[in-house]
Amino acid sequence: MEASEKFQEFTLFIRRLLRIIGCDVLDGSWKMNFATYFALFLCTGYTIGTVTAIVVAPDFFELLKALSFIGFFFQSTIKLYYSLTDRKAYHKNYSSLGRDIYEKHLDGTASQRKVILQNIDIVLVLKNVTALLYFATLIIFSFYPAYMYFVMHVKVTMLPILFPGLDIYSMYGYGVTTALHVIIAIYGLMGALVSDIAFMQFVLHFKSFAELFQIMCEEFGQQLHEKTIDDEPRRRRKYAKFCRHGMRDIYRYHQNTIVYLKSLIMCYGTICVVMVMTCSYSIMLNLFLALMTDWYATYSFLLVSLFQLLIFCMFGAVVQVTNGRLNRTITSLPWYLLPTREQRLYQLMLFKSQLPDEIFILGVGPLNMETFTLIMKKIYSAFAMMYSFLVEDAAGEGGGALNNHDSNNGHHDNGGAYAGAGAGS
């Protein structure tokens, strides 16, 4: 299968998910519709349900279970907001991929086609891995309540989210709560999936731009070495014309690559900051819940949060490395063979490559793997401090909330069912 066909396959997958959640921003003529307003309604219901679960939480651990989902809600809301406000930029970026990478290089050289095919293959593999992980998480969240209800005949909520006026121990209240949980989980999963894989493919296509630019510069440099500057005026003018056209094409392609990166950072800069903050928050809380409770859902949610933090930091590093590659490509050009006018254009391009655009995390630094390591150290420090404060101090005072949790563990190890009784009463 050709690279353009694989890209169309990937686009079809994303567009289907976007149409379901009412946010098909890749369509230039798209407008908000019923599905969009329904997604906003679910965000409002998520907020009400989380606040209710926090208010009626019977102990500290049930409170942490409700708080652990705030990070996912916040990142999903931010993604939806920026997808709607920056929809023109998303459409422009996606159109440029199809035009400047796939359509333009349909009859390209073997090296160009190889680069494009390799990167779209990586995108498809990441799409499958991410979809498998997210859907497995949804299955894990759904399996335990179904098992408890049909086998053990115990009503257990799917998410630690409760709604005012609904008693989960009544058939009506439990049915409505479960239905809302399933809808919220499915919409949240599809929104997170489409946003994350879109970010992956945008970054990998920036890598494609850089590699195609490198091929273009290498071919131009080889042609410069093959040509000789002759003192004869006509040949000298012909050589100058060749250099002028070649450098204009290279400069224009470099400009398009930089504009694409700036637009990508505009679309995802704030989202990356929010993702790092919310994933760090969720990892810390779920680590503590995994250690102190037997809540089944915390392991899958912990895995997803770790995966998201790793992916965003890793692809931030890809942007950083690709910028360095662009700079090395430009410095490798045989600029000394260019006429004086074209050397000025080369100097301008070199100057721009010295100040690359990157994704920065406020107060931490650029988004890369070093930042990921630093964040994990901070998470561990906060987790250790939280564990020491809540466990050792509680043990010194006779157990406190921990003993109460152990005595009630059989009643509310279900992610919110005990709190639901309070909501119903």
Side-chain angles (χ1 to χ4, degrees), residues 206-225:
F206 172 59
K207 180 172 174 288
S208 296
F209 274 117
E211 291 176 346
L212 291 172
F213 177 75
Q214 180 179 357
I215 293 173
M216 177 186 293
C217 290
E218 288 175 351
E219 291 177 351
F220 179 69
Q222 184 178 0
Q223 290 173 351
L224 285 178
H225 282 294

Side-chain angles (χ1 to χ4, degrees), residues 362-389:
L362 301 177
V364 179
L367 186 65
N368 53 30
M369 294 308 296
E370 294 180 3
T371 302
F372 175 79
T373 303
L374 177 62
I375 290 172
M376 293 304 297
K377 290 180 179 179
K378 298 292 185 182
I379 290 173
Y380 176 75
S381 299
F383 163 73
M385 183 176 62
M386 185 178 179
Y387 178 81
S388 176
F389 177 76

Side-chain angles (χ1 to χ4, degrees), residues 129-130 133-134 200 303-312:
V129 171
T130 307
L133 176 62
Y134 285 13
M200 296 177 198
L303 179 61
V304 170
S305 299
L306 278 170
F307 177 78
Q308 287 183 320
L309 180 61
L310 175 63
I311 283 295
F312 274 78

Side-chain angles (χ1 to χ4, degrees), residues 171-275:
M171 184 59 66
Y172 170 78
Y174 184 71
V176 174
T177 301
T178 302
L180 289 173
H181 283 186
V182 171
I183 296 173
I184 289 174
I186 292 175
Y187 264 72
L189 180 143
M190 289 190 295
L193 175 62
V194 73
S195 176
D196 292 349
I197 62 176
F199 174 71
M200 296 177 198
Q201 65 93 21
F202 276 129
V203 172
L204 285 173
H205 279 97
F206 172 59
K207 180 172 174 288
S208 296
F209 274 117
E211 291 176 346
L212 291 172
F213 177 75
Q214 180 179 357
I215 293 173
M216 177 186 293
C217 290
E218 288 175 351
E219 291 177 351
F220 179 69
Q222 184 178 0
Q223 290 173 351
L224 285 178
H225 282 294
E226 292 174 353
K227 292 181 178 292
T228 56
I229 304 177
D230 201 313
D231 292 334
E232 200 274 322
R234 185 177 64 83
R235 292 185 177 180
R236 192 165 58 246
R237 286 194 299 269
K238 185 176 180 181
Y239 179 80
K241 182 179 180 181
F242 164 77
C243 293
R244 182 170 61 253
H245 286 300
M247 282 301 298
R248 292 297 187 278
D249 291 339
I250 290 176
Y251 184 73
R252 189 179 299 113
Y253 198 92
H254 183 259
Q255 281 291 96
N256 291 338
T257 303
I258 298 302
V259 168
Y260 173 81
L261 178 59
K262 288 181 178 293
S263 181
L264 178 61
I265 294 176
M266 183 194 72
C267 292
Y268 281 99
T270 304
I271 291 177
C272 288
V273 174
V274 172
M275 288 295 298

Side-chain angles (χ1 to χ4, degrees), residues 65 69 134-146 148 154-163 168 174 177-187 189 295-298 300 413-417:
K65 291 176 183 179
F69 271 68
Y134 285 13
F135 279 106
T137 302
L138 179 62
I139 293 173
I140 293 173
F141 268 82
S142 306
F143 177 76
Y144 184 74
M148 292 297 291
V154 177
K155 294 183 176 68
V156 175
T157 57
M158 179 179 175
L159 304 174
I161 300 173
L162 303 172
F163 302 99
I168 65 167
Y174 184 71
T177 301
T178 302
L180 289 173
H181 283 186
V182 171
I183 296 173
I184 289 174
I186 292 175
Y187 264 72
L189 180 143
W295 186 34
Y296 72 98
T298 190
S300 58
D413 61 351
N414 50 27

Side-chain angles (χ1 to χ4, degrees), residues 70-188:
I70 291 181
F72 182 75
F73 163 74
F74 192 61
Q75 64 176 249
S76 299
T77 305
I78 291 296
K79 289 176 180 177
L80 179 62
Y81 171 77
Y82 278 99
S83 296
L84 295 177
T85 55
D86 297 332
R87 56 182 178 271
K88 292 183 179 179
Y90 282 102
H91 171 67
K92 182 179 179 180
N93 288 341
Y94 220 82
S95 299
S96 68
L97 298 183
R99 180 183 64 253
D100 297 334
I101 293 183
Y102 295 95
E103 294 179 4
K104 187 175 180 180
H105 296 92
L106 282 176
D107 300 323
T109 63
S111 56
Q112 290 174 336
R113 293 198 301 270
K114 180 181 178 181
V115 163
I116 296 172
L117 184 60
Q118 284 178 344
N119 287 324
I120 191 61
D121 284 338
I122 295 174
V123 170
L124 293 176
V125 170
L126 288 173
K127 179 204 75 173
N128 295 333
V129 171
T130 307
L132 179 62
L133 176 62
Y134 285 13
F135 279 106
T137 302
L138 179 62
I139 293 173
I140 293 173
F141 268 82
S142 306
F143 177 76
Y144 184 74
Y147 170 79
M148 292 297 291
Y149 182 78
F150 291 106
V151 178
M152 306 301 295
H153 306 292
V154 177
K155 294 183 176 68
V156 175
T157 57
M158 179 179 175
L159 304 174
I161 300 173
L162 303 172
F163 302 99
L166 293 177
D167 180 8
I168 65 167
Y169 291 112
S170 68
M171 184 59 66
Y172 170 78
Y174 184 71
V176 174
T177 301
T178 302
L180 289 173
H181 283 186
V182 171
I183 296 173
I184 289 174
I186 292 175
Y187 264 72

Side-chain angles (χ1 to χ4, degrees), residues 323-337:
N323 278 324
R325 187 171 187 171
L326 282 172
N327 185 35
R328 289 192 300 272
T329 299
I330 294 172
T331 55
S332 298
L333 271 174
W335 56 272
Y336 48 85
L337 297 177

